[in-house]
Amino acid sequence: MAGRSSSSLENGNGNGSNGNSLQPAASVAPSGATVSAEQVSLSGFQPGSVHATLQIERGTSAGKKFTLSNQESQIGRWDADGGVFPDVDLDSDDPEAKVSRRHARISIRDGNYLIEDLGSTNGTFVNRGRRLAPGDRCPLKDGDEIIVGKTFLRFRVAK
């Protein structure tokens, strides 16, 4: 299952239903800025096969990995009552609830990885840069640091 660590699968956190759509999105931020990122060859992209990972960098969950295997992967906190089942479920790794239920989305467009904040309360940051505005897409490359709430993640492209 995309974005689920083996430990969260064993604990039964979520059912994998996340409402992802595979509708194309432009590679231009709403501000009009052109998005460019290190080109990643995905000519053989197969939905369901792991193409990237996110690894928690700090805290008691440091080292925990989430696999990304869909064209779009949601980052957030699992909430059965609200019907929120993110691909990257940080519920058990975010005791202070600084990660929003629907926090961010990583997508692949034209061979580039992009991250988009989904209107989170505590923000999404890439490489400690400015806070992403909701809806703005920021390019990602192998090794980038992503901060969602107070959770530090390392983005890695599968080789």
Side-chain angles (χ1 to χ4, degrees):
M1 185 181 317
R4 306 294 292 185
S5 73
S6 58
S7 62
S8 62
L9 284 175
E10 292 165 4
N11 293 332
N13 293 344
N15 67 5
S17 171
N18 60 21
N20 284 349
S21 69
L22 297 179
Q23 298 172 353
S27 295
V28 176
S31 63
T34 303
V35 176
S36 63
E38 180 177 296
Q39 191 72 13
V40 177
S41 175
L42 293 171
S43 57
F45 174 73
Q46 296 292 323
S49 64
V50 175
H51 56 80
T53 61
L54 288 175
Q55 182 170 339
I56 297 176
E57 295 255 298
R58 296 183 180 183
T60 58
S61 296
K64 183 175 179 180
K65 281 188 181 181
F66 297 89
T67 58
L68 307 181
S69 58
N70 293 325
Q71 189 172 0
E72 291 186 347
S73 297
Q74 308 289 327
I75 302 170
R77 288 186 297 111
W78 183 79
D79 176 18
D81 294 336
V84 180
F85 305 101
D87 300 301
V88 177
D89 175 18
L90 297 172
D91 187 52
S92 63
D93 310 301
D94 180 37
E96 296 180 48
K98 298 296 183 183
V99 174
S100 295
R101 288 176 183 87
R102 292 181 179 94
H103 198 103
R105 172 178 32 235
I106 294 177
S107 58
I108 304 167
R109 298 289 181 259
D110 301 323
N112 296 315
Y113 284 96
L114 303 168
I115 188 165
E116 173 185 2
D117 185 90
L118 299 176
S120 67
T121 300
N122 293 307
T124 301
F125 303 83
V126 177
N127 296 326
R128 304 193 191 200
R130 68 171 182 82
R131 179 179 177 158
L132 298 183
D136 274 356
R137 293 183 187 97
C138 177
L140 286 176
K141 63 184 183 313
D142 186 58
D144 278 351
E145 177 186 67
I146 300 168
I147 303 172
V148 289
K150 286 187 173 180
T151 303
F152 288 70
L153 302 164
R154 183 71 55 189
F155 176 77
R156 294 285 181 198
V157 176
K159 306 290 182 203

PDB file of all heavy atoms in Angstrom, residues 97-134:
ATOM      1  N   ALA A  97      -0.022  16.566  17.367  1.00  0.00           N
ATOM      2  CA  ALA A  97      -1.006  16.855  16.310  1.00  0.00           C
ATOM      3  C   ALA A  97      -0.688  18.158  15.576  1.00  0.00           C
ATOM      4  O   ALA A  97      -1.573  18.978  15.314  1.00  0.00           O
ATOM      5  CB  ALA A  97      -2.418  16.862  16.865  1.00  0.00           C
ATOM      6  N   LYS A  98       0.571  18.348  15.223  1.00  0.00           N
ATOM      7  CA  LYS A  98       0.984  19.525  14.448  1.00  0.00           C
ATOM      8  C   LYS A  98       0.815  19.297  12.947  1.00  0.00           C
ATOM      9  O   LYS A  98       0.837  20.240  12.168  1.00  0.00           O
ATOM     10  CB  LYS A  98       2.442  19.896  14.748  1.00  0.00           C
ATOM     11  CG  LYS A  98       2.693  20.265  16.199  1.00  0.00           C
ATOM     12  CD  LYS A  98       1.940  21.509  16.589  1.00  0.00           C
ATOM     13  CE  LYS A  98       2.262  21.916  18.023  1.00  0.00           C
ATOM     14  NZ  LYS A  98       1.502  23.068  18.463  1.00  0.00           N
ATOM     15  N   VAL A  99       0.673  18.028  12.538  1.00  0.00           N
ATOM     16  CA  VAL A  99       0.412  17.686  11.146  1.00  0.00           C
ATOM     17  C   VAL A  99      -1.099  17.701  10.952  1.00  0.00           C
ATOM     18  O   VAL A  99      -1.842  17.093  11.733  1.00  0.00           O
ATOM     19  CB  VAL A  99       0.994  16.293  10.788  1.00  0.00           C
ATOM     20  CG1 VAL A  99       0.599  15.875   9.375  1.00  0.00           C
ATOM     21  CG2 VAL A  99       2.512  16.281  10.943  1.00  0.00           C
ATOM     22  N   SER A 100      -1.563  18.393   9.933  1.00  0.00           N
ATOM     23  CA  SER A 100      -3.002  18.438   9.650  1.00  0.00           C
ATOM     24  C   SER A 100      -3.471  17.102   9.089  1.00  0.00           C
ATOM     25  O   SER A 100      -2.681  16.334   8.545  1.00  0.00           O
ATOM     26  CB  SER A 100      -3.300  19.543   8.632  1.00  0.00           C
ATOM     27  OG  SER A 100      -3.004  20.813   9.170  1.00  0.00           O
ATOM     28  N   ARG A 101      -4.752  16.836   9.218  1.00  0.00           N
ATOM     29  CA  ARG A 101      -5.290  15.579   8.667  1.00  0.00           C
ATOM     30  C   ARG A 101      -5.018  15.491   7.172  1.00  0.00           C
ATOM     31  O   ARG A 101      -4.596  14.469   6.672  1.00  0.00           O
ATOM     32  CB  ARG A 101      -6.786  15.473   8.960  1.00  0.00           C
ATOM     33  CG  ARG A 101      -7.074  15.195  10.415  1.00  0.00           C
ATOM     34  CD  ARG A 101      -8.572  15.198  10.699  1.00  0.00           C
ATOM     35  NE  ARG A 101      -8.817  14.992  12.102  1.00  0.00           N
ATOM     36  CZ  ARG A 101      -8.850  15.960  13.009  1.00  0.00           C
ATOM     37  NH1 ARG A 101      -8.644  17.208  12.645  1.00  0.00           N
ATOM     38  NH2 ARG A 101      -9.073  15.687  14.276  1.00  0.00           N
ATOM     39  N   ARG A 102      -5.272  16.564   6.461  1.00  0.00           N
ATOM     40  CA  ARG A 102      -4.949  16.673   5.026  1.00  0.00           C
ATOM     41  C   ARG A 102      -3.889  17.755   4.910  1.00  0.00           C
ATOM     42  O   ARG A 102      -4.202  18.924   4.691  1.00  0.00           O
ATOM     43  CB  ARG A 102      -6.199  17.030   4.227  1.00  0.00           C
ATOM     44  CG  ARG A 102      -7.219  15.932   4.189  1.00  0.00           C
ATOM     45  CD  ARG A 102      -8.435  16.336   3.346  1.00  0.00           C
ATOM     46  NE  ARG A 102      -9.407  15.271   3.279  1.00  0.00           N
ATOM     47  CZ  ARG A 102     -10.451  15.146   4.091  1.00  0.00           C
ATOM     48  NH1 ARG A 102     -10.648  16.041   5.050  1.00  0.00           N
ATOM     49  NH2 ARG A 102     -11.286  14.147   3.963  1.00  0.00           N
ATOM     50  N   HIS A 103      -2.629  17.378   5.046  1.00  0.00           N
ATOM     51  CA  HIS A 103      -1.554  18.358   5.177  1.00  0.00           C
ATOM     52  C   HIS A 103      -0.942  18.741   3.823  1.00  0.00           C
ATOM     53  O   HIS A 103      -0.875  19.917   3.477  1.00  0.00           O
ATOM     54  CB  HIS A 103      -0.463  17.824   6.115  1.00  0.00           C
ATOM     55  CG  HIS A 103       0.430  18.901   6.627  1.00  0.00           C
ATOM     56  ND1 HIS A 103       0.318  19.408   7.904  1.00  0.00           N
ATOM     57  CD2 HIS A 103       1.435  19.570   6.039  1.00  0.00           C
ATOM     58  CE1 HIS A 103       1.227  20.360   8.072  1.00  0.00           C
ATOM     59  NE2 HIS A 103       1.920  20.469   6.939  1.00  0.00           N
ATOM     60  N   ALA A 104      -0.447  17.743   3.080  1.00  0.00           N
ATOM     61  CA  ALA A 104       0.278  18.029   1.836  1.00  0.00           C
ATOM     62  C   ALA A 104       0.107  16.874   0.864  1.00  0.00           C
ATOM     63  O   ALA A 104      -0.370  15.795   1.231  1.00  0.00           O
ATOM     64  CB  ALA A 104       1.761  18.268   2.132  1.00  0.00           C
ATOM     65  N   ARG A 105       0.521  17.120  -0.386  1.00  0.00           N
ATOM     66  CA  ARG A 105       0.448  16.087  -1.416  1.00  0.00           C
ATOM     67  C   ARG A 105       1.730  16.126  -2.236  1.00  0.00           C
ATOM     68  O   ARG A 105       2.186  17.207  -2.634  1.00  0.00           O
ATOM     69  CB  ARG A 105      -0.751  16.350  -2.333  1.00  0.00           C
ATOM     70  CG  ARG A 105      -0.818  15.468  -3.550  1.00  0.00           C
ATOM     71  CD  ARG A 105      -2.045  15.694  -4.434  1.00  0.00           C
ATOM     72  NE  ARG A 105      -2.532  17.058  -4.465  1.00  0.00           N
ATOM     73  CZ  ARG A 105      -3.795  17.407  -4.172  1.00  0.00           C
ATOM     74  NH1 ARG A 105      -4.681  16.500  -3.823  1.00  0.00           N
ATOM     75  NH2 ARG A 105      -4.164  18.668  -4.236  1.00  0.00           N
ATOM     76  N   ILE A 106       2.312  14.948  -2.487  1.00  0.00           N
ATOM     77  CA  ILE A 106       3.444  14.815  -3.398  1.00  0.00           C
ATOM     78  C   ILE A 106       2.911  14.184  -4.674  1.00  0.00           C
ATOM     79  O   ILE A 106       2.200  13.182  -4.633  1.00  0.00           O
ATOM     80  CB  ILE A 106       4.570  13.955  -2.789  1.00  0.00           C
ATOM     81  CG1 ILE A 106       5.174  14.673  -1.579  1.00  0.00           C
ATOM     82  CG2 ILE A 106       5.639  13.650  -3.842  1.00  0.00           C
ATOM     83  CD1 ILE A 106       6.246  13.892  -0.855  1.00  0.00           C
ATOM     84  N   SER A 107       3.243  14.793  -5.808  1.00  0.00           N
ATOM     85  CA  SER A 107       2.785  14.265  -7.089  1.00  0.00           C
ATOM     86  C   SER A 107       3.931  14.242  -8.092  1.00  0.00           C
ATOM     87  O   SER A 107       4.962  14.888  -7.893  1.00  0.00           O
ATOM     88  CB  SER A 107       1.625  15.109  -7.629  1.00  0.00           C
ATOM     89  OG  SER A 107       2.021  16.458  -7.770  1.00  0.00           O
ATOM     90  N   ILE A 108       3.713  13.484  -9.142  1.00  0.00           N
ATOM     91  CA  ILE A 108       4.674  13.421 -10.245  1.00  0.00           C
ATOM     92  C   ILE A 108       3.987  14.032 -11.453  1.00  0.00           C
ATOM     93  O   ILE A 108       2.899  13.605 -11.836  1.00  0.00           O
ATOM     94  CB  ILE A 108       5.065  11.966 -10.569  1.00  0.00           C
ATOM     95  CG1 ILE A 108       5.602  11.265  -9.343  1.00  0.00           C
ATOM     96  CG2 ILE A 108       6.070  11.930 -11.711  1.00  0.00           C
ATOM     97  CD1 ILE A 108       5.709   9.769  -9.511  1.00  0.00           C
ATOM     98  N   ARG A 109       4.611  15.028 -12.059  1.00  0.00           N
ATOM     99  CA  ARG A 109       4.086  15.678 -13.254  1.00  0.00           C
ATOM    100  C   ARG A 109       5.223  15.845 -14.251  1.00  0.00           C
ATOM    101  O   ARG A 109       6.222  16.482 -13.936  1.00  0.00           O
ATOM    102  CB  ARG A 109       3.486  17.051 -12.937  1.00  0.00           C
ATOM    103  CG  ARG A 109       2.315  17.016 -11.980  1.00  0.00           C
ATOM    104  CD  ARG A 109       1.080  16.418 -12.653  1.00  0.00           C
ATOM    105  NE  ARG A 109      -0.039  16.406 -11.753  1.00  0.00           N
ATOM    106  CZ  ARG A 109      -0.457  15.333 -11.086  1.00  0.00           C
ATOM    107  NH1 ARG A 109       0.161  14.193 -11.201  1.00  0.00           N
ATOM    108  NH2 ARG A 109      -1.499  15.406 -10.291  1.00  0.00           N
ATOM    109  N   ASP A 110       5.048  15.301 -15.435  1.00  0.00           N
ATOM    110  CA  ASP A 110       6.049  15.430 -16.505  1.00  0.00           C
ATOM    111  C   ASP A 110       7.446  15.040 -16.035  1.00  0.00           C
ATOM    112  O   ASP A 110       8.428  15.707 -16.357  1.00  0.00           O
ATOM    113  CB  ASP A 110       6.054  16.869 -17.055  1.00  0.00           C
ATOM    114  CG  ASP A 110       4.711  17.278 -17.614  1.00  0.00           C
ATOM    115  OD1 ASP A 110       4.037  16.420 -18.221  1.00  0.00           O
ATOM    116  OD2 ASP A 110       4.322  18.452 -17.425  1.00  0.00           O
ATOM    117  N   GLY A 111       7.534  13.988 -15.244  1.00  0.00           N
ATOM    118  CA  GLY A 111       8.825  13.493 -14.776  1.00  0.00           C
ATOM    119  C   GLY A 111       9.414  14.250 -13.607  1.00  0.00           C
ATOM    120  O   GLY A 111      10.530  13.988 -13.185  1.00  0.00           O
ATOM    121  N   ASN A 112       8.670  15.222 -13.060  1.00  0.00           N
ATOM    122  CA  ASN A 112       9.147  16.005 -11.918  1.00  0.00           C
ATOM    123  C   ASN A 112       8.301  15.706 -10.693  1.00  0.00           C
ATOM    124  O   ASN A 112       7.090  15.536 -10.792  1.00  0.00           O
ATOM    125  CB  ASN A 112       9.048  17.510 -12.213  1.00  0.00           C
ATOM    126  CG  ASN A 112       9.934  17.924 -13.354  1.00  0.00           C
ATOM    127  OD1 ASN A 112      11.083  17.527 -13.437  1.00  0.00           O
ATOM    128  ND2 ASN A 112       9.386  18.732 -14.245  1.00  0.00           N
ATOM    129  N   TYR A 113       8.954  15.679  -9.532  1.00  0.00           N
ATOM    130  CA  TYR A 113       8.238  15.545  -8.268  1.00  0.00           C
ATOM    131  C   TYR A 113       7.885  16.935  -7.766  1.00  0.00           C
ATOM    132  O   TYR A 113       8.715  17.856  -7.820  1.00  0.00           O
ATOM    133  CB  TYR A 113       9.111  14.846  -7.228  1.00  0.00           C
ATOM    134  CG  TYR A 113       9.238  13.365  -7.438  1.00  0.00           C
ATOM    135  CD1 TYR A 113      10.320  12.843  -8.121  1.00  0.00           C
ATOM    136  CD2 TYR A 113       8.269  12.491  -6.958  1.00  0.00           C
ATOM    137  CE1 TYR A 113      10.439  11.468  -8.317  1.00  0.00           C
ATOM    138  CE2 TYR A 113       8.381  11.126  -7.153  1.00  0.00           C
ATOM    139  CZ  TYR A 113       9.468  10.620  -7.832  1.00  0.00           C
ATOM    140  OH  TYR A 113       9.564   9.279  -8.025  1.00  0.00           O
ATOM    141  N   LEU A 114       6.663  17.076  -7.264  1.00  0.00           N
ATOM    142  CA  LEU A 114       6.190  18.343  -6.722  1.00  0.00           C
ATOM    143  C   LEU A 114       5.509  18.091  -5.388  1.00  0.00           C
ATOM    144  O   LEU A 114       4.877  17.052  -5.200  1.00  0.00           O
ATOM    145  CB  LEU A 114       5.172  18.980  -7.677  1.00  0.00           C
ATOM    146  CG  LEU A 114       5.637  19.227  -9.107  1.00  0.00           C
ATOM    147  CD1 LEU A 114       4.463  19.579  -9.996  1.00  0.00           C
ATOM    148  CD2 LEU A 114       6.677  20.333  -9.136  1.00  0.00           C
ATOM    149  N   ILE A 115       5.643  19.046  -4.467  1.00  0.00           N
ATOM    150  CA  ILE A 115       4.896  18.974  -3.213  1.00  0.00           C
ATOM    151  C   ILE A 115       4.003  20.197  -3.142  1.00  0.00           C
ATOM    152  O   ILE A 115       4.380  21.294  -3.580  1.00  0.00           O
ATOM    153  CB  ILE A 115       5.828  18.878  -1.975  1.00  0.00           C
ATOM    154  CG1 ILE A 115       4.988  18.617  -0.714  1.00  0.00           C
ATOM    155  CG2 ILE A 115       6.723  20.094  -1.842  1.00  0.00           C
ATOM    156  CD1 ILE A 115       5.797  18.154   0.485  1.00  0.00           C
ATOM    157  N   GLU A 116       2.813  19.995  -2.610  1.00  0.00           N
ATOM    158  CA  GLU A 116       1.811  21.052  -2.509  1.00  0.00           C
ATOM    159  C   GLU A 116       1.219  21.029  -1.110  1.00  0.00           C
ATOM    160  O   GLU A 116       0.839  19.974  -0.609  1.00  0.00           O
ATOM    161  CB  GLU A 116       0.722  20.779  -3.546  1.00  0.00           C
ATOM    162  CG  GLU A 116      -0.475  21.664  -3.478  1.00  0.00           C
ATOM    163  CD  GLU A 116      -1.562  21.244  -4.469  1.00  0.00           C
ATOM    164  OE1 GLU A 116      -1.398  20.240  -5.191  1.00  0.00           O
ATOM    165  OE2 GLU A 116      -2.592  21.934  -4.498  1.00  0.00           O
ATOM    166  N   ASP A 117       1.149  22.191  -0.470  1.00  0.00           N
ATOM    167  CA  ASP A 117       0.466  22.295   0.823  1.00  0.00           C
ATOM    168  C   ASP A 117      -1.034  22.337   0.556  1.00  0.00           C
ATOM    169  O   ASP A 117      -1.487  22.991  -0.379  1.00  0.00           O
ATOM    170  CB  ASP A 117       0.908  23.564   1.565  1.00  0.00           C
ATOM    171  CG  ASP A 117       0.309  23.634   2.960  1.00  0.00           C
ATOM    172  OD1 ASP A 117       0.949  23.124   3.893  1.00  0.00           O
ATOM    173  OD2 ASP A 117      -0.806  24.179   3.100  1.00  0.00           O
ATOM    174  N   LEU A 118      -1.799  21.620   1.359  1.00  0.00           N
ATOM    175  CA  LEU A 118      -3.243  21.522   1.160  1.00  0.00           C
ATOM    176  C   LEU A 118      -4.033  22.414   2.121  1.00  0.00           C
ATOM    177  O   LEU A 118      -5.169  22.111   2.456  1.00  0.00           O
ATOM    178  CB  LEU A 118      -3.683  20.058   1.303  1.00  0.00           C
ATOM    179  CG  LEU A 118      -3.060  19.091   0.304  1.00  0.00           C
ATOM    180  CD1 LEU A 118      -3.484  17.654   0.604  1.00  0.00           C
ATOM    181  CD2 LEU A 118      -3.417  19.474  -1.130  1.00  0.00           C
ATOM    182  N   GLY A 119      -3.421  23.515   2.556  1.00  0.00           N
ATOM    183  CA  GLY A 119      -4.100  24.416   3.491  1.00  0.00           C
ATOM    184  C   GLY A 119      -3.884  24.004   4.936  1.00  0.00           C
ATOM    185  O   GLY A 119      -4.746  24.222   5.786  1.00  0.00           O
ATOM    186  N   SER A 120      -2.726  23.444   5.226  1.00  0.00           N
ATOM    187  CA  SER A 120      -2.429  22.963   6.575  1.00  0.00           C
ATOM    188  C   SER A 120      -2.369  24.113   7.576  1.00  0.00           C
ATOM    189  O   SER A 120      -2.134  25.259   7.207  1.00  0.00           O
ATOM    190  CB  SER A 120      -1.091  22.216   6.578  1.00  0.00           C
ATOM    191  OG  SER A 120      -0.030  23.120   6.304  1.00  0.00           O
ATOM    192  N   THR A 121      -2.555  23.771   8.843  1.00  0.00           N
ATOM    193  CA  THR A 121      -2.510  24.774   9.906  1.00  0.00           C
ATOM    194  C   THR A 121      -1.082  25.226  10.201  1.00  0.00           C
ATOM    195  O   THR A 121      -0.820  26.412  10.370  1.00  0.00           O
ATOM    196  CB  THR A 121      -3.147  24.203  11.195  1.00  0.00           C
ATOM    197  OG1 THR A 121      -4.495  23.860  10.904  1.00  0.00           O
ATOM    198  CG2 THR A 121      -3.098  25.208  12.331  1.00  0.00           C
ATOM    199  N   ASN A 122      -0.135  24.270  10.261  1.00  0.00           N
ATOM    200  CA  ASN A 122       1.229  24.587  10.691  1.00  0.00           C
ATOM    201  C   ASN A 122       2.261  24.607   9.579  1.00  0.00           C
ATOM    202  O   ASN A 122       3.446  24.751   9.838  1.00  0.00           O
ATOM    203  CB  ASN A 122       1.649  23.618  11.797  1.00  0.00           C
ATOM    204  CG  ASN A 122       0.839  23.852  13.047  1.00  0.00           C
ATOM    205  OD1 ASN A 122       0.758  24.963  13.548  1.00  0.00           O
ATOM    206  ND2 ASN A 122       0.179  22.812  13.526  1.00  0.00           N
ATOM    207  N   GLY A 123       1.831  24.475   8.346  1.00  0.00           N
ATOM    208  CA  GLY A 123       2.713  24.718   7.213  1.00  0.00           C
ATOM    209  C   GLY A 123       3.530  23.545   6.715  1.00  0.00           C
ATOM    210  O   GLY A 123       3.711  22.537   7.386  1.00  0.00           O
ATOM    211  N   THR A 124       4.002  23.715   5.479  1.00  0.00           N
ATOM    212  CA  THR A 124       4.894  22.783   4.795  1.00  0.00           C
ATOM    213  C   THR A 124       6.096  23.591   4.321  1.00  0.00           C
ATOM    214  O   THR A 124       5.933  24.672   3.751  1.00  0.00           O
ATOM    215  CB  THR A 124       4.180  22.144   3.576  1.00  0.00           C
ATOM    216  OG1 THR A 124       3.003  21.469   4.037  1.00  0.00           O
ATOM    217  CG2 THR A 124       5.083  21.159   2.866  1.00  0.00           C
ATOM    218  N   PHE A 125       7.293  23.062   4.570  1.00  0.00           N
ATOM    219  CA  PHE A 125       8.535  23.744   4.216  1.00  0.00           C
ATOM    220  C   PHE A 125       9.447  22.762   3.490  1.00  0.00           C
ATOM    221  O   PHE A 125       9.493  21.582   3.841  1.00  0.00           O
ATOM    222  CB  PHE A 125       9.258  24.243   5.479  1.00  0.00           C
ATOM    223  CG  PHE A 125       8.416  25.148   6.328  1.00  0.00           C
ATOM    224  CD1 PHE A 125       7.511  24.627   7.242  1.00  0.00           C
ATOM    225  CD2 PHE A 125       8.530  26.526   6.216  1.00  0.00           C
ATOM    226  CE1 PHE A 125       6.727  25.459   8.037  1.00  0.00           C
ATOM    227  CE2 PHE A 125       7.745  27.367   7.009  1.00  0.00           C
ATOM    228  CZ  PHE A 125       6.847  26.829   7.919  1.00  0.00           C
ATOM    229  N   VAL A 126      10.177  23.240   2.485  1.00  0.00           N
ATOM    230  CA  VAL A 126      11.159  22.423   1.765  1.00  0.00           C
ATOM    231  C   VAL A 126      12.522  23.061   1.971  1.00  0.00           C
ATOM    232  O   VAL A 126      12.710  24.257   1.691  1.00  0.00           O
ATOM    233  CB  VAL A 126      10.824  22.312   0.259  1.00  0.00           C
ATOM    234  CG1 VAL A 126      11.894  21.532  -0.479  1.00  0.00           C
ATOM    235  CG2 VAL A 126       9.455  21.665   0.066  1.00  0.00           C
ATOM    236  N   ASN A 127      13.466  22.257   2.471  1.00  0.00           N
ATOM    237  CA  ASN A 127      14.846  22.709   2.716  1.00  0.00           C
ATOM    238  C   ASN A 127      14.896  24.001   3.533  1.00  0.00           C
ATOM    239  O   ASN A 127      15.695  24.892   3.264  1.00  0.00           O
ATOM    240  CB  ASN A 127      15.603  22.856   1.391  1.00  0.00           C
ATOM    241  CG  ASN A 127      15.743  21.532   0.690  1.00  0.00           C
ATOM    242  OD1 ASN A 127      15.884  20.480   1.313  1.00  0.00           O
ATOM    243  ND2 ASN A 127      15.687  21.566  -0.636  1.00  0.00           N
ATOM    244  N   ARG A 128      13.995  24.093   4.500  1.00  0.00           N
ATOM    245  CA  ARG A 128      13.915  25.211   5.443  1.00  0.00           C
ATOM    246  C   ARG A 128      13.709  26.554   4.762  1.00  0.00           C
ATOM    247  O   ARG A 128      14.076  27.604   5.301  1.00  0.00           O
ATOM    248  CB  ARG A 128      15.124  25.230   6.358  1.00  0.00           C
ATOM    249  CG  ARG A 128      15.241  23.902   7.078  1.00  0.00           C
ATOM    250  CD  ARG A 128      16.195  23.923   8.189  1.00  0.00           C
ATOM    251  NE  ARG A 128      16.396  22.539   8.622  1.00  0.00           N
ATOM    252  CZ  ARG A 128      16.855  22.217   9.771  1.00  0.00           C
ATOM    253  NH1 ARG A 128      17.182  23.130  10.638  1.00  0.00           N
ATOM    254  NH2 ARG A 128      17.014  20.947  10.093  1.00  0.00           N
ATOM    255  N   GLY A 129      13.108  26.518   3.581  1.00  0.00           N
ATOM    256  CA  GLY A 129      12.766  27.742   2.858  1.00  0.00           C
ATOM    257  C   GLY A 129      11.476  28.330   3.388  1.00  0.00           C
ATOM    258  O   GLY A 129      11.002  27.977   4.474  1.00  0.00           O
ATOM    259  N   ARG A 130      10.891  29.195   2.600  1.00  0.00           N
ATOM    260  CA  ARG A 130       9.643  29.846   3.012  1.00  0.00           C
ATOM    261  C   ARG A 130       8.510  28.828   3.097  1.00  0.00           C
ATOM    262  O   ARG A 130       8.533  27.797   2.444  1.00  0.00           O
ATOM    263  CB  ARG A 130       9.275  30.964   2.052  1.00  0.00           C
ATOM    264  CG  ARG A 130       8.879  30.468   0.667  1.00  0.00           C
ATOM    265  CD  ARG A 130       8.300  31.601  -0.191  1.00  0.00           C
ATOM    266  NE  ARG A 130       7.896  31.096  -1.484  1.00  0.00           N
ATOM    267  CZ  ARG A 130       6.740  30.487  -1.731  1.00  0.00           C
ATOM    268  NH1 ARG A 130       5.872  30.303  -0.766  1.00  0.00           N
ATOM    269  NH2 ARG A 130       6.457  30.048  -2.952  1.00  0.00           N
ATOM    270  N   ARG A 131       7.523  29.162   3.902  1.00  0.00           N
ATOM    271  CA  ARG A 131       6.338  28.315   4.037  1.00  0.00           C
ATOM    272  C   ARG A 131       5.590  28.309   2.707  1.00  0.00           C
ATOM    273  O   ARG A 131       5.379  29.365   2.095  1.00  0.00           O
ATOM    274  CB  ARG A 131       5.441  28.873   5.139  1.00  0.00           C
ATOM    275  CG  ARG A 131       4.180  28.089   5.354  1.00  0.00           C
ATOM    276  CD  ARG A 131       3.357  28.687   6.473  1.00  0.00           C
ATOM    277  NE  ARG A 131       2.108  27.951   6.615  1.00  0.00           N
ATOM    278  CZ  ARG A 131       1.381  27.942   7.715  1.00  0.00           C
ATOM    279  NH1 ARG A 131       1.767  28.625   8.782  1.00  0.00           N
ATOM    280  NH2 ARG A 131       0.264  27.258   7.762  1.00  0.00           N
ATOM    281  N   LEU A 132       5.199  27.113   2.251  1.00  0.00           N
ATOM    282  CA  LEU A 132       4.438  27.018   1.009  1.00  0.00           C
ATOM    283  C   LEU A 132       3.036  27.570   1.220  1.00  0.00           C
ATOM    284  O   LEU A 132       2.372  27.239   2.208  1.00  0.00           O
ATOM    285  CB  LEU A 132       4.324  25.565   0.553  1.00  0.00           C
ATOM    286  CG  LEU A 132       5.617  24.825   0.210  1.00  0.00           C
ATOM    287  CD1 LEU A 132       5.291  23.416  -0.282  1.00  0.00           C
ATOM    288  CD2 LEU A 132       6.406  25.579  -0.844  1.00  0.00           C
ATOM    289  N   ALA A 133       2.594  28.371   0.288  1.00  0.00           N
ATOM    290  CA  ALA A 133       1.215  28.854   0.328  1.00  0.00           C
ATOM    291  C   ALA A 133       0.304  27.715  -0.115  1.00  0.00           C
ATOM    292  O   ALA A 133       0.694  26.905  -0.967  1.00  0.00           O
ATOM    293  CB  ALA A 133       1.060  30.059  -0.604  1.00  0.00           C
ATOM    294  N   PRO A 134      -0.888  27.622   0.447  1.00  0.00           N
ATOM    295  CA  PRO A 134      -1.805  26.558   0.014  1.00  0.00           C
ATOM    296  C   PRO A 134      -2.005  26.592  -1.503  1.00  0.00           C
ATOM    297  O   PRO A 134      -2.232  27.646  -2.083  1.00  0.00           O
ATOM    298  CB  PRO A 134      -3.106  26.888   0.747  1.00  0.00           C
ATOM    299  CG  PRO A 134      -2.654  27.643   1.964  1.00  0.00           C
ATOM    300  CD  PRO A 134      -1.466  28.450   1.501  1.00  0.00           C
TER     301      PRO A 134
END
